[in-house]
Amino acid sequence: MEAARQYNVHEAKTHLSRILEQVATGEEVIISKAGEPVAKVVPLRPKVRRTGRGSLAGRIHIADDFDELPDDIADAFRMC
């Protein structure tokens, strides 16, 4: 994996638009102050677009006994 590009504060302020374009393409950028890294600019996760009901069909498995509460847990709740 390639190391993140590093900019000092002055460069970051001067070239913010260019830095944001780099981040938008998936790169990570480090901003430094007096040579010490102080911030990392990373791309946001893409929004998950759901296509409606059933969009996760085949990707999720619900066990047949999902709605059954084990006796020991049920007993613990009855004691309260």
Side-chain angles (χ1 to χ4, degrees):
M1 183 174 177
E2 186 178 323
R5 293 186 188 188
Q6 188 165 330
Y7 296 90
N8 66 38
V9 174
H10 176 72
E11 290 173 317
K13 290 192 313 185
T14 303
H15 302 290
L16 181 61
S17 293
R18 184 182 324 155
I19 291 170
L20 291 177
E21 287 175 14
Q22 293 170 354
V23 172
T25 64
E27 294 183 44
E28 294 184 356
V29 172
I30 303 293
I31 309 233
S32 300
K33 185 174 185 178
E36 291 294 318
V38 294
K40 181 190 284 188
V41 183
V42 298
L44 291 175
R45 293 184 199 166
K47 290 184 179 179
V48 175
R49 297 190 185 267
R50 301 275 188 244
T51 57
R53 290 186 171 212
S55 65
L56 296 177
R59 300 172 76 186
I60 295 177
H61 172 73
I62 298 175
D64 293 334
D65 64 349
F66 176 79
D67 289 325
E68 297 174 16
L69 189 60
D71 291 337
D72 58 331
I73 295 175
D75 290 342
F77 278 106
R78 286 187 203 107
M79 297 187 107
C80 294

